[in-house]
Amino acid sequence: MATPDQLHAALSALDVDVTEVAPQIREHLPPREGRDQAGIELAMLAGLLHRTAQSAVGVMLAEAASPASWVDRQTAISTQVITLSTEDHGEQASIGAALLHDRLGALVDADSPRTSTGRPDTSQMPALAGAAFAAAAAVLTLLEIRTDQNEGVEPEATAIGFETALDQLDRARVLTLDARAGDTVVSDRGE
């Protein structure tokens, strides 16, 4: 496992001002009795490193000089190019889905209309971002079901999960249809 110093060094190498991060960690993670402060801080730094590296990959793809170069770069970042013996693809997919869901939630929040106090109006959501958010929620739910099944959970116990995934996919479908019809912001009908 990476140490805080290694994470700081990696973030610095990606041009992240680590001194800017420390106050934000303290703000969102005040010390509390019984809290795994060090572990959570490490997770925050690793998550920041992941997001920063992901952004760097996006820049590398965007800077491709030609479509062929873009394809070559896209192939190079594939999880199938270099494998690690310690890698758990199911776990990585779940983490990726959770991070994508979180990022799409931030996008929905950022794109949502604001109330008179300037807060996001949670009764409204942008249709396309909302559709992507609901679809990502469904992927996360399906991956959780897969994990349960791999751990021997009885099929009857996963029935609720399948219903949840179907509801999330239906929500994504409705929002996609609304967006296609020209409704850019759709009243939240629940998820």
Side-chain angles (χ1 to χ4, degrees), residues 29-38 40:
L29 190 64
R32 188 172 69 211
E33 180 79 26
R35 176 181 270 171
D36 175 21
Q37 198 79 17
I40 295 171

PDB file of all heavy atoms in Angstrom, residues 29-38 40:
ATOM      1  N   LEU A  29     -13.002  16.351   6.857  1.00  0.00           N
ATOM      2  CA  LEU A  29     -12.691  15.195   7.684  1.00  0.00           C
ATOM      3  C   LEU A  29     -12.221  15.641   9.068  1.00  0.00           C
ATOM      4  O   LEU A  29     -11.087  15.396   9.460  1.00  0.00           O
ATOM      5  CB  LEU A  29     -11.608  14.363   6.993  1.00  0.00           C
ATOM      6  CG  LEU A  29     -11.298  13.008   7.561  1.00  0.00           C
ATOM      7  CD1 LEU A  29     -12.502  12.084   7.456  1.00  0.00           C
ATOM      8  CD2 LEU A  29     -10.127  12.404   6.815  1.00  0.00           C
ATOM      9  N   PRO A  30     -13.100  16.327   9.820  1.00  0.00           N
ATOM     10  CA  PRO A  30     -12.656  16.760  11.146  1.00  0.00           C
ATOM     11  C   PRO A  30     -12.401  15.551  12.039  1.00  0.00           C
ATOM     12  O   PRO A  30     -13.103  14.537  11.935  1.00  0.00           O
ATOM     13  CB  PRO A  30     -13.833  17.597  11.658  1.00  0.00           C
ATOM     14  CG  PRO A  30     -15.016  17.159  10.861  1.00  0.00           C
ATOM     15  CD  PRO A  30     -14.482  16.672   9.547  1.00  0.00           C
ATOM     16  N   PRO A  31     -11.382  15.632  12.897  1.00  0.00           N
ATOM     17  CA  PRO A  31     -11.086  14.505  13.785  1.00  0.00           C
ATOM     18  C   PRO A  31     -12.311  14.141  14.636  1.00  0.00           C
ATOM     19  O   PRO A  31     -13.037  15.011  15.099  1.00  0.00           O
ATOM     20  CB  PRO A  31      -9.950  15.030  14.671  1.00  0.00           C
ATOM     21  CG  PRO A  31      -9.343  16.146  13.886  1.00  0.00           C
ATOM     22  CD  PRO A  31     -10.459  16.744  13.081  1.00  0.00           C
ATOM     23  N   ARG A  32     -12.534  12.845  14.788  1.00  0.00           N
ATOM     24  CA  ARG A  32     -13.663  12.364  15.581  1.00  0.00           C
ATOM     25  C   ARG A  32     -13.251  11.068  16.262  1.00  0.00           C
ATOM     26  O   ARG A  32     -12.561  10.239  15.662  1.00  0.00           O
ATOM     27  CB  ARG A  32     -14.877  12.153  14.671  1.00  0.00           C
ATOM     28  CG  ARG A  32     -16.150  11.840  15.446  1.00  0.00           C
ATOM     29  CD  ARG A  32     -17.370  11.834  14.563  1.00  0.00           C
ATOM     30  NE  ARG A  32     -17.336  10.693  13.661  1.00  0.00           N
ATOM     31  CZ  ARG A  32     -17.867  10.680  12.454  1.00  0.00           C
ATOM     32  NH1 ARG A  32     -18.469  11.734  11.991  1.00  0.00           N
ATOM     33  NH2 ARG A  32     -17.808   9.606  11.697  1.00  0.00           N
ATOM     34  N   GLU A  33     -13.692  10.894  17.469  1.00  0.00           N
ATOM     35  CA  GLU A  33     -13.395   9.695  18.254  1.00  0.00           C
ATOM     36  C   GLU A  33     -13.780   8.441  17.477  1.00  0.00           C
ATOM     37  O   GLU A  33     -14.890   8.338  16.945  1.00  0.00           O
ATOM     38  CB  GLU A  33     -14.181   9.747  19.574  1.00  0.00           C
ATOM     39  CG  GLU A  33     -13.957   8.577  20.484  1.00  0.00           C
ATOM     40  CD  GLU A  33     -12.659   8.665  21.262  1.00  0.00           C
ATOM     41  OE1 GLU A  33     -12.177   9.792  21.488  1.00  0.00           O
ATOM     42  OE2 GLU A  33     -12.136   7.615  21.625  1.00  0.00           O
ATOM     43  N   GLY A  34     -12.862   7.493  17.370  1.00  0.00           N
ATOM     44  CA  GLY A  34     -13.147   6.217  16.729  1.00  0.00           C
ATOM     45  C   GLY A  34     -13.041   6.222  15.214  1.00  0.00           C
ATOM     46  O   GLY A  34     -13.196   5.188  14.575  1.00  0.00           O
ATOM     47  N   ARG A  35     -12.783   7.380  14.620  1.00  0.00           N
ATOM     48  CA  ARG A  35     -12.681   7.458  13.154  1.00  0.00           C
ATOM     49  C   ARG A  35     -11.287   7.027  12.712  1.00  0.00           C
ATOM     50  O   ARG A  35     -10.294   7.352  13.339  1.00  0.00           O
ATOM     51  CB  ARG A  35     -12.950   8.894  12.700  1.00  0.00           C
ATOM     52  CG  ARG A  35     -12.764   9.081  11.199  1.00  0.00           C
ATOM     53  CD  ARG A  35     -13.018  10.491  10.778  1.00  0.00           C
ATOM     54  NE  ARG A  35     -14.425  10.621  10.454  1.00  0.00           N
ATOM     55  CZ  ARG A  35     -15.038  11.769  10.216  1.00  0.00           C
ATOM     56  NH1 ARG A  35     -14.375  12.895  10.312  1.00  0.00           N
ATOM     57  NH2 ARG A  35     -16.309  11.805   9.915  1.00  0.00           N
ATOM     58  N   ASP A  36     -11.232   6.301  11.625  1.00  0.00           N
ATOM     59  CA  ASP A  36      -9.965   5.862  11.032  1.00  0.00           C
ATOM     60  C   ASP A  36      -9.378   7.032  10.246  1.00  0.00           C
ATOM     61  O   ASP A  36      -9.333   7.024   9.017  1.00  0.00           O
ATOM     62  CB  ASP A  36     -10.229   4.650  10.129  1.00  0.00           C
ATOM     63  CG  ASP A  36      -9.005   4.193   9.376  1.00  0.00           C
ATOM     64  OD1 ASP A  36      -7.876   4.502   9.801  1.00  0.00           O
ATOM     65  OD2 ASP A  36      -9.184   3.531   8.341  1.00  0.00           O
ATOM     66  N   GLN A  37      -8.943   8.059  10.957  1.00  0.00           N
ATOM     67  CA  GLN A  37      -8.490   9.315  10.351  1.00  0.00           C
ATOM     68  C   GLN A  37      -7.396   9.085   9.306  1.00  0.00           C
ATOM     69  O   GLN A  37      -7.490   9.569   8.190  1.00  0.00           O
ATOM     70  CB  GLN A  37      -7.984  10.238  11.463  1.00  0.00           C
ATOM     71  CG  GLN A  37      -7.886  11.682  11.086  1.00  0.00           C
ATOM     72  CD  GLN A  37      -9.225  12.390  11.115  1.00  0.00           C
ATOM     73  OE1 GLN A  37     -10.192  11.914  11.708  1.00  0.00           O
ATOM     74  NE2 GLN A  37      -9.300  13.502  10.458  1.00  0.00           N
ATOM     75  N   ALA A  38      -6.371   8.335   9.682  1.00  0.00           N
ATOM     76  CA  ALA A  38      -5.237   8.116   8.767  1.00  0.00           C
ATOM     77  C   ALA A  38      -5.675   7.339   7.529  1.00  0.00           C
ATOM     78  O   ALA A  38      -5.286   7.677   6.406  1.00  0.00           O
ATOM     79  CB  ALA A  38      -4.118   7.379   9.492  1.00  0.00           C
ATOM     80  N   ILE A  40      -8.691   7.116   6.203  1.00  0.00           N
ATOM     81  CA  ILE A  40      -9.592   7.911   5.369  1.00  0.00           C
ATOM     82  C   ILE A  40      -8.804   8.985   4.622  1.00  0.00           C
ATOM     83  O   ILE A  40      -9.053   9.237   3.447  1.00  0.00           O
ATOM     84  CB  ILE A  40     -10.724   8.529   6.213  1.00  0.00           C
ATOM     85  CG1 ILE A  40     -11.607   7.419   6.781  1.00  0.00           C
ATOM     86  CG2 ILE A  40     -11.552   9.503   5.395  1.00  0.00           C
ATOM     87  CD1 ILE A  40     -12.624   7.883   7.804  1.00  0.00           C
TER      88      ILE A  40
END
